[in-house]
Amino acid sequence: MDIIISAVLGELTTRSINFFVSKVSKPVPLDVEDCLHKVLLRAQVIMDEAMGRHVTNQAMLLQLVMLRDAMHRGYYMLDTFRYQHHDEEETKYEDVSHSSSLSIVNSVKRLCFSSRGGLALKELQETHDNLSSMILDLNELVLFLTSYPRLYRQPYSMHLQLANCMFDRQMEAQLVINFLLHTQPHGAEELEVLPIIGPSYVGKSTLVAHACKVERVTDHFSEILFLQSDDFTDDELAAFSEECARKRQNHVSNSNRDIRFLVVVELVRDLNEDAWNRLYSSFKQCVPSGSKIIVTSRSNKIAKFGTAQALTLKRPSHEAYWYFFKTLTFESTDPEMHPRFTYIAMEIAKALKSSPIFAYITAHLLRDNFNVHFWCKVLAFLRGSFQKHASNSGEHPFDVLKQNRPTYFGRMDTPLEVCVLYHQYQCSTQDEVPKITVQDVVYGGVKPRGKFEVLAWRSSIPPYYSYVGTCEIQELKSAAVKRKRSMKDGTTLC
């Protein structure tokens, strides 16, 4: 009996010790959060250093793209872990001053007592481990970075950089620059062609414009010509050939250096192989040897026209979009000091479905109205409006907008009216733009009669496009029924 009791007590003692050891060895939430924050800062340093140098190695650029994506995921996971526990309904009625002073430490403690918190902590640890491993593998890359010449940069803050520079495309821009500056073997007769593929409003024209602004590119090419058309007719090609011949003659008489042209072709629609062959043949006849061609299109079919591997641009991931939207919205304000605002901003970013134009519009609106009740009102309006549109048409309004079809948007302060956007187009810097903005129509009290033009957004970066649409405000039918349904659901319908 004594032997059995001793064995049982020994087993209990061993299990107790193992239990306490396991508890002590488990990662503490604040430790994991702090470690991930530190490794994210290391990743940020590497990315900032890379973006400040002329990197020409293609494999190194691809590694940096992977690190950039992992960094965005890391920041997203960190913010989710910190702020996602703020319940939306509680947020609506919490005082702003109280929400601003909430401690991050207390927030994390509450989260850790829930099962969701335990899962989030595990994901946070995995994110930290993956990013740490990636940075460790990039030790040699960091050493190689110092061998590349620096770019001249003015001091900037992050929110100014994102507002006035391309976001998330620096490595892709370097790939384009490397293609443009690559010298063909002596005597090569074929024109090099780089296809750039991507959906609408993904930044194809912006990427090309930034590459063309680089001093090394402008010094390398005598002329940069832009060509855009639905279909390249014989008259258009003849006019382009005459322009090339005239510019070529001017450079022959005024300069002794080699003459090269860069031709940027923006395809509005698909181009079949016969039409491309005719276009390419025309280029070969009118542009000097050593010239290059960039072709942008929404269709993957143009990949076969390239002599270089096509560069495909995708819409930003949700993690990258959140990084972009948060920086634009809070600017120099520290999001950690306003956890409830940050939570609402995360929910708004989800509703915007990675639309860059509406990121600028909404971020500007939130900055000008830094009030938690107003932010909750915007979130409820967006959710209700988008859900209503989806229930009626089966599509998200932004998906309809990308196809340039009539799109219905609610009006936040007048729920019995909708704004119908019929047509969207781009304007150059020389064109006049409307004074009425989408923000005035959707979130303000402006009510012009009939159809009118509205300015969605004016870009502050090359090629400085303004995005304009044709709008009309309509009243909803069965107003009483819709008002009753709105009150029942507790949301504002479009």
Side-chain angles (χ1 to χ4, degrees), residues 11 26 32 36 79 200 203 214 294 307 347 354 367 372 415:
E11 181 66 19
K26 282 186 177 179
V32 177
L36 179 57
D79 287 343
S200 58
V214 173
I294 293 179
T307 61
E347 296 301 308
S354 299
R367 287 199 310 268
V372 72

Side-chain angles (χ1 to χ4, degrees), residues 100-114:
S100 300
S101 61
L102 263 177
S103 169
I104 298 296
V105 175
N106 292 334
S107 300
V108 173
K109 284 181 179 179
R110 282 194 296 167
L111 189 147
C112 291
F113 282 105
S114 66

Side-chain angles (χ1 to χ4, degrees), residues 150-192:
R150 284 190 176 276
L151 293 165
Y152 175 74
R153 282 182 178 270
Q154 293 285 355
Y156 60 84
S157 63
M158 179 57 70
H159 73 270
L160 291 177
Q161 181 195 13
L162 293 191
N164 297 289
C165 299
M166 278 191 310
F167 170 69
D168 213 28
R169 298 293 185 211
Q170 288 83 1
M171 300 300 109
E172 288 84 350
Q174 193 61 56
L175 289 169
V176 176
I177 294 169
N178 292 346
F179 163 80
L180 295 176
L181 298 182
H182 175 262
T183 304
Q184 291 179 290
H186 182 70
E189 297 182 357
E190 295 298 318
L191 296 176
E192 287 190 286

Side-chain angles (χ1 to χ4, degrees), residues 44-241:
Q44 186 71 63
V45 169
I46 296 174
M47 290 304 304
D48 290 345
E49 184 69 18
M51 287 189 292
R53 293 183 179 272
H54 294 296
V55 181
T56 57
N57 186 283
Q58 303 290 94
M60 185 179 293
L61 289 172
L62 293 176
Q63 282 186 296
L64 289 169
V65 169
M66 294 170 61
L67 177 63
R68 177 195 66 194
D69 295 342
M71 184 185 73
H72 290 153
R73 287 194 297 271
Y75 274 116
Y76 181 78
M77 287 299 304
L78 186 62
D79 287 343
T80 301
F81 182 75
R82 285 173 169 174
Y83 309 119
Q84 199 65 25
H85 69 284
H86 287 278
D87 183 78
E88 181 183 350
E89 293 299 324
E90 180 187 351
T91 303
K92 290 183 180 181
Y93 305 106
E94 193 71 22
D95 182 70
V96 178
S97 60
H98 175 65
S99 66
S100 300
S101 61
L102 263 177
S103 169
I104 298 296
V105 175
N106 292 334
S107 300
V108 173
K109 284 181 179 179
R110 282 194 296 167
L111 189 147
C112 291
F113 282 105
S114 66
S115 59
R116 183 177 62 178
L119 180 61
L121 181 61
K122 180 181 178 181
E123 293 177 346
L124 202 70
Q125 182 67 56
E126 291 176 353
T127 303
H128 168 268
D129 295 342
N130 292 336
L131 191 56
S132 298
S133 177
M134 181 175 291
I135 291 178
L136 187 63
D137 293 339
L138 294 177
N139 281 340
E140 292 182 356
L141 180 145
V142 174
L143 295 176
F144 288 141
L145 277 178
T146 59
S147 64
Y148 290 100
R150 284 190 176 276
L151 293 165
Y152 175 74
R153 282 182 178 270
Q154 293 285 355
Y156 60 84
S157 63
M158 179 57 70
H159 73 270
L160 291 177
Q161 181 195 13
L162 293 191
N164 297 289
C165 299
M166 278 191 310
F167 170 69
D168 213 28
R169 298 293 185 211
Q170 288 83 1
M171 300 300 109
E172 288 84 350
Q174 193 61 56
L175 289 169
V176 176
I177 294 169
N178 292 346
F179 163 80
L180 295 176
L181 298 182
H182 175 262
T183 304
Q184 291 179 290
H186 182 70
E189 297 182 357
E190 295 298 318
L191 296 176
E192 287 190 286
V193 181
L194 173 65
I196 299 180
I197 304 167
S200 58
Y201 303 112
V202 79
K204 300 183 293 296
S205 299
T206 302
L207 177 65
V208 174
H210 273 71
C212 292
K213 278 192 64 179
V214 173
E215 185 177 356
R216 291 174 298 153
V217 173
T218 56
D219 291 342
H220 187 74
F221 293 98
S222 309
E223 288 285 344
I224 300 178
L225 306 174
F226 293 88
L227 192 60
Q228 181 186 43
S229 179
D230 289 343
D231 186 23
F232 297 96
T233 63
D234 292 336
D235 291 340
E236 289 176 332
L237 293 180
F240 179 78
S241 298

Side-chain angles (χ1 to χ4, degrees), residues 201-364:
Y201 303 112
V202 79
K204 300 183 293 296
S205 299
T206 302
L207 177 65
V208 174
H210 273 71
C212 292
K213 278 192 64 179
V214 173
E215 185 177 356
R216 291 174 298 153
V217 173
T218 56
D219 291 342
H220 187 74
F221 293 98
S222 309
E223 288 285 344
I224 300 178
L225 306 174
F226 293 88
L227 192 60
Q228 181 186 43
S229 179
D230 289 343
D231 186 23
F232 297 96
T233 63
D234 292 336
D235 291 340
E236 289 176 332
L237 293 180
F240 179 78
S241 298
E242 291 178 5
E243 182 184 5
C244 286
R246 178 173 53 81
K247 291 182 178 294
R248 185 173 183 176
Q249 185 60 39
N250 290 340
H251 284 286
V252 168
S253 58
N254 297 331
S255 176
N256 293 324
R257 68 173 189 171
D258 293 338
I259 302 173
R260 306 183 190 90
F261 287 1
L262 169 59
V263 182
V264 180
V265 182
E266 185 174 348
L267 299 179
V268 180
R269 299 177 182 174
D270 285 345
L271 196 66
N272 59 48
E273 193 164 355
D274 291 338
W276 168 254
N277 291 335
R278 184 162 51 89
L279 182 64
Y280 182 78
S281 177
S282 176
F283 289 156
K284 288 186 62 176
Q285 294 175 10
C286 66
V287 301
S289 60
S291 300
K292 298 200 176 185
I293 303 172
I294 293 179
V295 185
T296 66
S297 174
R298 301 175 188 176
S299 173
N300 293 325
K301 296 177 182 178
I302 70 163
K304 60 184 178 182
F305 301 150
T307 61
Q309 183 177 356
L311 178 59
T312 301
L313 302 184
K314 299 180 180 179
R315 300 196 185 279
S317 65
H318 181 68
E319 295 85 356
Y321 187 76
W322 163 240
Y323 183 88
F324 174 65
F325 183 74
K326 179 180 69 170
T327 306
L328 287 180
T329 301
F330 288 93
E331 289 194 328
S332 56
T333 304
D334 186 0
E336 292 188 24
M337 299 301 296
H338 305 276
R340 294 194 179 278
F341 285 87
T342 307
Y343 166 75
I344 302 170
M346 290 188 78
E347 296 301 308
I348 291 175
K350 292 177 183 178
L352 294 179
K353 206 174 180 182
S354 299
S355 168
I357 293 179
F358 276 87
Y360 283 105
I361 295 172
T362 311
H364 183 270

